[in-house]
Amino acid sequence: MKTDIILAGVGGQGILSIATILGHAALQADLYLKQAEVHGMSQRGGDVMSCLRLSSDPIASDLIPAGKVDLVISLEPMEALRYAHLLAPGGRVITSTEPFVNIPNYPELDKIMAELKALPGTVMLPAEQIAKEVASPRSSNMALLGASAPYIGLPDTALEESIAAVFGPKGEKIVADNIAAFRAGKEYKGQ
């Protein structure tokens, strides 16, 4: 098993929470794990990117070479497009369709969406809307993780147990909301 993932988004969207959950689940499954994070201006709404490498064999580097990324998981469509050129043949983009417009010259959303739709295997979902319907918009990262789950190579039970472990200190309601959002994202059958 080997999965090389780029997690992308904007500061405050929960990308690093996804990385923590995936890392926890990978360690519970006795997999090797390497992670590198680039926070950018995350506290000011800037881009956040994390390389996450999961493997049943030892991993030499935490950085993923261009053309070797299996998954780009992004909470923001422009950020998904920023890293799509790094995909391996057969790689996938899993992205939220809801933009985080934090710059005055944000590109036209229609053009971004058209470029993403042109990529084979792209999964696009309104993660915030899905999370809001079952829990809270703050759980949109878990809806995105749910939509990504079939392509990661970890069992859903391990991911849900990791969600419970990571969010457990925040209380049972937060855990239940995040698991509900994860399941709703996994079940989403839209675009």
Side-chain angles (χ1 to χ4, degrees), residues 62-144:
D62 55 359
L63 298 177
I64 306 168
K68 300 292 183 183
V69 174
D70 298 305
L71 287 173
V72 172
I73 300 172
S74 180
L75 271 158
E76 208 288 328
M78 183 179 71
E79 294 302 322
L81 198 55
R82 181 189 308 262
Y83 299 104
H85 71 282
L86 301 174
L87 286 170
R92 292 181 173 270
V93 172
I94 317 296
T95 186
S96 176
T97 56
E98 297 142 335
F100 189 100
V101 181
N102 58 344
I103 54 175
N105 58 343
Y106 191 95
E108 288 183 42
L109 186 57
D110 290 344
K111 289 182 180 179
I112 292 171
M113 300 312 276
E115 287 188 52
L116 289 169
K117 284 179 184 177
L119 298 171
T122 297
V123 175
M124 300 190 317
L125 69 154
E128 189 173 318
Q129 177 186 330
I130 290 168
K132 185 178 180 180
E133 288 173 5
V134 298
S136 159
R138 292 184 52 83
S139 301
S140 62
N141 59 340
M142 293 301 102
L144 184 69

Side-chain angles (χ1 to χ4, degrees), residues 14-34:
I15 288 298
L16 299 181
S17 293
I18 292 174
T20 301
I21 290 162
L22 289 174
H24 184 275
L27 292 175
Q28 296 304 311
D30 290 326
L31 295 175
Y32 291 92
L33 162 73
K34 291 268 185 180

